[in-house]
């Protein structure tokens, strides 16, 4: 027999079919000191059946406290906030080892803060003027355990602070010696902002193979996610701004 399996309720004797448990919505905490922006985000996200805004924080300290108490899946974190900025709040959440992931929002004039947020443990960052559909997709991606890298923003950051990067003639960091040639190729493409599907097309292999390579790269380099992989690729000199 195909389709849903059938049985009999032991108490009522009624015939019943197996039911698939509903998927739990992604629980979101909005952290921004501007009430109007929080209202706008709540309206956009509230229209999605699988997203649920569970609380709002007007400063970084409140964001940390609510994260510890409510354990949201994703914190949508502004950077500049009173009492505690978004970088410090992100670090506090990550250092507490909470099952909470942070997605940082930035504006181009605050680029210098983004690398600090990533190093603090953020799972990604987006521009504040990102289209609604991209924001929604990013939240789902981060909630699913992956990371969101905005390549254009990251490239702009790295070009702006190019003097902090290794000399172009320098060889990649010794940590990369653990990678195979193919894994290095995959890391380069990840650092350029390509998705697994796009990398598979570039290297003429299956997407499943790329997922396996990405997993090996993260494990060997002891990285949490793709964001950290991108930062390491630039910091090691494997990839340079504009390449």
């Amino acid at each position: 027999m195909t389709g849903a399996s059938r049985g009999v309720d032991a108490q009522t004797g009624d015939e019943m079919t197996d039911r698939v448990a509903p998927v739990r919505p992604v629980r979101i905490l909005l952290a921004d000191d501007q009430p109007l922006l929080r209202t706008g985000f709540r309206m956009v996200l509230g229209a999605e059946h699988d997203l649920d805004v569970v609380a709002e924080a007007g400063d970084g300290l409140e964001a940390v406290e609510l994260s510890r108490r409510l354990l949201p899946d994703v914190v949508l974190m502004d950077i500049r906030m009173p009492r505690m900025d978004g970088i410090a709040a992100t670090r506090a959440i990550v250092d507490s080892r909470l099952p909470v992931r942070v997605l940082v929002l930035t504006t181009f004039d605050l680029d210098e803060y983004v690398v600090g947020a990533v190093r603090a443990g953020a799972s990604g960052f987006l521009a504040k003027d990102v289209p609604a559909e991209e924001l929604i997709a990013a939240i789902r991606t981060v909630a699913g355990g992956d990371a969101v890298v905005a390549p254009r923003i990251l490239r702009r950051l790295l070009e702006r602070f190019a003097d902090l990067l290794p000399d172009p003639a320098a060889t990649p960091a010794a940590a990369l010696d653990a990678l195979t040639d193919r894994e290095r190729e995959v890391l380069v493409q990840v650092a350029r902002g390509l998705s697994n599907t796009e990398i598979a097309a570039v290297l003429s292999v299956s997407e499943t193979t790329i997922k396996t390579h990405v997993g090996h790269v993260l494990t060997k380099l002891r990285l949490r996610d793709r964001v950290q992989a991108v930062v390491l690729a630039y910091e090691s000199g494997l990839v340079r701004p504009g390449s």
Side-chain angles (χ1 to χ4, degrees):
M1 181 175 66
T2 60
S5 61
R6 297 179 181 277
V8 176
D9 188 295
Q11 294 182 334
T12 67
D14 294 335
E15 186 179 53
M16 60 183 184
T17 59
D18 290 339
R19 294 179 176 84
V20 178
V23 177
R24 182 177 68 84
V26 175
R27 302 173 71 251
I28 303 164
L29 168 63
L30 301 177
D32 196 297
D33 64 338
Q34 299 184 49
L36 270 178
L37 279 177
R38 296 201 306 270
T39 299
F41 285 136
R42 180 181 282 275
M43 290 177 61
V44 169
L45 302 180
E48 302 298 314
H49 71 280
D50 61 336
L51 303 181
D52 181 20
V53 177
V54 296
E56 298 180 17
D59 59 65
L61 186 58
E62 186 179 15
V64 174
E65 292 171 347
L66 288 174
S67 294
R68 289 172 175 163
R69 180 156 55 89
L70 302 177
L71 298 180
D73 298 303
V74 178
V75 178
L76 202 58
M77 184 80 77
D78 186 23
I79 289 184
R80 277 193 169 178
M81 292 185 291
R83 294 211 292 172
M84 179 184 288
D85 64 34
I87 296 176
T90 297
R91 184 177 296 108
I93 291 170
V94 172
D95 288 350
S96 297
R97 299 187 180 280
L98 301 174
V100 178
R101 296 173 69 83
V102 179
L103 178 58
V104 171
L105 296 180
T106 182
T107 52
F108 283 126
D109 60 326
L110 297 179
D111 282 346
E112 63 269 24
Y113 293 97
V114 180
V115 167
V118 172
R119 286 175 175 157
S123 294
F125 51 90
L126 297 173
K128 271 195 172 181
D129 60 354
V130 65
E133 60 271 17
E134 290 186 27
L135 174 63
I136 291 167
I139 290 173
R140 289 170 178 155
T141 297
V142 168
D146 208 336
V148 176
V149 180
R152 292 187 299 275
I153 297 178
L154 184 58
R155 188 170 297 115
R156 177 179 175 138
L157 277 173
L158 294 167
E159 289 171 350
R160 182 172 176 180
F161 298 104
D163 58 319
L164 301 179
L165 296 172
D167 187 287
T171 56
L176 301 185
D177 291 345
L179 303 182
T180 65
D181 289 342
R182 178 59 90 180
E183 287 165 353
R184 284 191 181 219
E185 287 181 308
V186 170
L187 178 55
V188 167
Q189 301 306 325
V190 168
R192 290 173 176 164
L194 273 63
S195 66
N196 287 345
T197 301
E198 292 168 332
I199 298 173
V202 170
L203 300 182
S204 300
V205 297
S206 71
E207 185 174 353
T208 300
T209 297
I210 296 302
K211 288 181 180 178
T212 300
H213 285 316
V214 171
H216 288 166
V217 168
L218 298 182
T219 299
K220 288 182 177 181
L221 300 181
R222 298 182 179 180
L223 302 173
R224 187 186 64 252
D225 51 39
R226 294 169 82 104
V227 171
Q228 291 190 338
V230 171
V231 172
L232 178 61
Y234 278 95
E235 289 183 331
S236 68
L238 181 64
V239 178
R240 292 186 292 275
S243 65

